[in-house]
Amino acid sequence: MLERLETIEARYDKLNELLSDPEVINDTNKLRDYSKEQSSLQDTVAVYREYKEAKEQLDEAKLMLEDKLDAEMTAMVKEEISGLNQQIEEFTAQLKILLLPKDPNDDKNVIVEVRGAAGGDEAALFAGDLYRMYTRYAEMQGWKSEVIEASYTELGGYKEIIFMINGAGAYSKLKYENGAHRVQRVPSTESGGRIHTSTATVAVLPEAEEVEVEIHEKDVRVDTFTSSGPGGQSVNTTQSAVRLTHVPTGTVVSCQDEKSQIKNKEKAMKVLRARVYDKIQREIQKEYDETRKSAVGSGDRSERIRTYNFPQNRVTDHRIGLTIQKLDQILLGKMDEFVEALITEDQTSKMKAQADA
């Protein structure tokens, strides 16, 4: 581990030199790539330097014990040694996590797709609840969200809503939301007061850059049509809505949120690129299916991952067995307890797999 850390620190120092080089400063691509790499190493190097400093202080304190000290000074030095040993243990634990293989998509923006599934209108209303939960969480993180496409129901829910969240590390925190979310509550349309169970599905895709997935114009069929609002109401008499079909993969994306056809096409292309990238990534990783199934958040998107029980104000994540009696707060975007627990579980699983390898 220490050899790896020395190599990382040396690379970090080299990157600092490169980022001061006029040749790199004048090369946009190199500057971007080196800055990104330096940023990815920064936390590891900072903790490693604290670790090394604590080790030096520990060695000095142990040397002091070899001198003839009075009882009071000996007690003080021993207390310092105890504190330093504890710090070193904490730094070591942090470094083990920081050295785990990183998901290359973790720093990316995300495209989130929420769809009402089983339960008709109630499922669509629940899809709306989830959409608002994620956008409120994004706001608390200092991220920005933007609707790309929405298909409304007459009661104010969403058959489907696709939106983008822009923010550093958005994918690293939201990737665990992939799957089927179940709600248990008395619908507003239920006169008998019976609890109904409905579901909505969530897909979280990392935004793909053009350099990561190349989509040729000749492979994309573009159709335009008149946009519509809730209940099929026409909201635009011009052909501003856009449907893109990626012929090689059969991937179809529509967008009608903007009044401008050009803007709708740009938004649709972002979703198309993300879906094609996601499809390619999943095909590449098929051979690692068993490993992926054991990792939190990377399983089948049809898997039921969480239940939101309104009568008991309870949310349960079935993957990690965590139940929190704060449903009202969670729907307001206060998801940190779940996010942190899922990250910890994923890191623990990876550390165990690394140790067993």
Side-chain angles (χ1 to χ4, degrees):
M1 184 177 87
L2 293 177
E3 284 180 14
R4 280 182 67 193
L5 289 164
E6 285 292 338
T7 303
I8 289 169
E9 186 179 34
R11 177 59 181 167
Y12 180 80
D13 290 337
K14 179 65 177 175
L15 287 166
N16 280 336
E17 286 178 29
L18 289 168
L19 289 168
S20 302
D21 187 331
E23 188 182 327
V24 173
I25 292 169
N26 292 323
D27 187 324
T28 309
N29 291 332
K30 280 186 178 178
L31 185 64
R32 181 195 64 226
D33 292 344
Y34 290 155
S35 297
K36 191 175 179 181
E37 187 183 353
Q38 185 223 37
S39 177
S40 71
L41 301 178
Q42 196 165 0
D43 288 346
T44 306
V45 171
V47 176
Y48 179 48
R49 286 175 175 170
E50 287 184 286
Y51 167 86
K52 287 199 295 185
E53 188 180 336
K55 285 284 282 184
E56 285 174 14
Q57 291 175 5
L58 180 64
D59 291 340
E60 288 171 10
K62 285 179 177 177
L63 282 172
M64 285 179 69
L65 280 183
E66 294 176 9
D67 297 334
K68 291 182 179 179
L69 305 172
D70 59 37
E72 186 179 350
M73 183 61 76
T74 299
M76 284 177 62
V77 173
K78 283 183 177 179
E79 188 176 342
E80 184 183 358
I81 287 172
S82 176
L84 287 165
N85 277 322
Q86 188 175 341
Q87 279 184 36
I88 289 166
E89 281 182 25
E90 289 170 2
F91 291 142
T92 301
Q94 287 180 52
L95 288 167
K96 282 180 180 176
I97 291 171
L98 288 165
L99 287 174
L100 287 171
K102 287 184 173 61
D103 185 332
N105 295 319
D106 272 354
D107 291 331
K108 292 183 179 178
N109 301 326
V110 296
I111 290 169
V112 185
E113 304 179 351
V114 182
R115 295 179 178 86
D121 285 333
E122 173 60 16
L125 289 169
F126 180 50
D129 292 334
L130 292 176
Y131 160 66
R132 285 181 286 276
M133 178 181 78
Y134 293 132
T135 52
R136 286 163 178 164
Y137 176 71
E139 192 178 335
M140 290 174 185
Q141 303 298 310
W143 302 335
K144 292 183 179 178
S145 59
E146 175 188 19
V147 173
I148 293 175
E149 174 67 353
S151 174
Y152 307 86
T153 64
E154 290 182 2
L155 292 180
Y158 295 98
K159 292 177 185 174
E160 173 187 73
I161 181 161
I162 302 170
F163 56 102
M164 187 163 189
I165 293 179
N166 294 281
Y171 186 74
S172 69
K173 293 189 175 182
L174 291 173
K175 63 183 176 182
Y176 304 104
E177 297 303 303
N178 273 320
H181 296 241
R182 181 174 71 169
V183 63
Q184 294 173 325
R185 64 182 172 191
V186 179
S188 55
T189 54
E190 169 60 55
S191 58
R194 290 175 299 175
I195 295 172
H196 286 228
T197 297
S198 306
T199 57
T201 61
V202 176
V204 179
L205 311 178
E207 182 187 19
E209 297 174 17
E210 288 184 46
V211 293
E212 292 171 311
V213 53
E214 191 175 6
I215 294 180
H216 300 286
E217 267 189 56
K218 64 181 177 62
D219 291 335
V220 180
R221 188 175 72 242
V222 181
D223 299 307
T224 58
F225 55 98
T226 305
S227 60
S228 60
Q233 177 187 358
S234 179
V235 294
N236 197 336
T237 55
T238 61
Q239 299 277 309
S240 61
V242 173
R243 182 185 300 108
L244 302 181
T245 303
H246 185 243
V247 178
T249 61
T251 306
V252 181
V253 177
S254 299
C255 186
Q256 60 176 358
D257 196 60
E258 299 285 348
K259 291 181 181 178
S260 159
Q261 186 184 111
I262 294 171
K263 287 184 179 178
N264 279 328
K265 187 177 177 183
E266 284 175 0
K267 282 187 172 184
M269 185 56 78
K270 282 186 180 181
V271 179
L272 183 67
R273 193 177 290 118
R275 286 187 185 170
V276 172
Y277 177 72
D278 182 62
K279 184 180 175 66
I280 292 168
Q281 291 288 99
R282 286 178 174 272
E283 286 175 357
I284 289 171
Q285 294 180 33
K286 264 184 184 176
E287 60 189 286
Y288 302 114
D289 268 351
E290 290 309 309
T291 305
R292 288 171 65 235
K293 281 178 186 175
S294 68
V296 174
S298 59
D300 189 335
R301 283 182 187 153
S302 64
E303 176 192 358
R304 188 190 72 201
I305 64 165
R306 200 174 291 151
T307 295
Y308 303 72
N309 184 293
F310 274 70
Q312 297 177 22
N313 197 36
R314 164 173 59 81
V315 182
T316 299
D317 194 291
H318 304 291
R319 295 163 295 179
I320 55 176
L322 176 62
T323 295
I324 299 175
Q325 305 282 155
K326 299 176 186 175
L327 181 146
D328 53 340
Q329 296 297 304
I330 289 162
L331 288 180
L332 289 174
K334 297 177 182 178
M335 297 167 52
D336 285 320
E337 283 184 74
F338 278 120
V339 172
E340 295 305 321
L342 287 160
I343 289 172
T344 300
E345 180 68 21
D346 198 15
Q347 288 172 343
T348 303
S349 174
K350 286 174 180 172
M351 285 174 71
K352 186 178 183 300
Q354 204 170 63
D356 292 345

